[in-house]
Amino acid sequence: KQEVTQIPAALSVPEGENLVLNCSFTDSAIYNLQWFRQDPGKGLTSLLLIQSSQREQTSGRLNASLDKSSGRSTLYIAASQPGDSATYLCNTDKLIFGTGTRLQVFP
Amino acid sequence: GAGVSQSPRYKVAKRGQDVALRCDPISGHVSLFWYQQALGQGPEFLTYFQNEAQLDKSGLPSDRFFAERPEGSVSTLKIQRTQKEDSAVYLCASSSPLAGGPGELFFGEGSRLTVL
């Protein structure tokens, strides 16, 4: 059974820092991996989808990489802003979510 | 529609009552998923439909939980004889297959159920 782990569980940083959020999974036979953000009391917003044939995806200040062989994905957030404060979740093939990284960026 | 729509947004039920939660997926999306999210936790998979076929219901926690999607569009998650431990946010998501894979997942805002 797929298990997904996210590290760190929580992160609090001053704005402007470059951040690295990690997602590891036990079963590398996946079609894709997707990163989401969730604001309090809201649903999940899709950030990036990496298909199994891809190594990375970029959107604005966000970059996500995927290494299937090692069972890892990394989300990079450049020049963090207070508006980036949210919980970040990774998901494999729609079924299994990590427990998330709670990010707080303070001014 | 423009996005995944869920109703009601908030539901308070007395223990033992039955509840029904509705999900309108993005038009044309063949796949529909239900998740349960407890406070401070990540979403937990409940069940998955492809069109009207329920392909996986392994995450449903008990036989009090039932989901349907009779015409391959709108889906309803029904919880019978609600218990306090059913209190959670119920999230619905839809997707359309992409290049052999399940495609990008889009979520609704969720239905927050509180059982008293």
Side-chain angles (χ1 to χ4, degrees), chain A residues 15-32:
Chain A
E15 68 176 317
E17 284 202 4
N18 299 324
L19 306 175
V20 176
L21 308 182
N22 297 291
C23 171
S24 61
F25 46 95
T26 55
D27 185 351
S28 61
I30 62 172
Y31 281 108
N32 59 36

Side-chain angles (χ1 to χ4, degrees), chain A residues 6-13 21 100-104:
Chain A
Q6 290 189 245
I7 295 173
L11 190 59
S12 182
V13 299
L21 308 182
T101 294
R102 192 177 310 110
L103 172 65
Q104 182 179 8

Side-chain angles (χ1 to χ4, degrees), chain A residues 20 25 43 46 72 85 94 97 102-103:
Chain A
V20 176
F25 46 95
S46 177
R72 292 181 182 177
S85 298
K94 310 298 176 276
F97 276 88
R102 192 177 310 110
L103 172 65

Side-chain angles (χ1 to χ4, degrees), chain A residues 22-65:
Chain A
N22 297 291
C23 171
S24 61
F25 46 95
T26 55
D27 185 351
S28 61
I30 62 172
Y31 281 108
N32 59 36
L33 186 142
Q34 193 168 355
W35 282 92
F36 298 86
R37 70 173 279 168
Q38 186 174 32
D39 294 283
K42 300 290 188 180
L44 280 68
T45 300
S46 177
L47 296 173
L48 291 164
L49 171 72
I50 312 173
Q51 296 179 60
S52 61
S53 59
Q54 299 170 325
R55 296 293 299 271
E56 65 178 306
Q57 282 286 336
T58 298
S59 176
R61 293 182 295 108
L62 305 180
N63 174 275
S65 64

Side-chain angles (χ1 to χ4, degrees), chain A residues 34 38 42 46 94-95, chain B residues 35 37 45 103-105 109:
Chain A
Q34 193 168 355
Q38 186 174 32
K42 300 290 188 180
S46 177
K94 310 298 176 276
L95 300 188
Chain B
Y35 298 86
Q37 187 174 27
F45 169 77
E104 188 174 3
L105 202 61
E109 292 284 290

Side-chain angles (χ1 to χ4, degrees), chain B residues 8-29:
Chain B
R9 288 293 315 280
Y10 303 93
K11 176 68 178 178
V12 178
K14 292 183 180 179
R15 192 173 57 147
Q17 281 185 332
D18 297 348
V19 299
L21 308 176
R22 176 188 168 105
C23 174
D24 275 280
I26 291 173
S27 178
H29 277 192

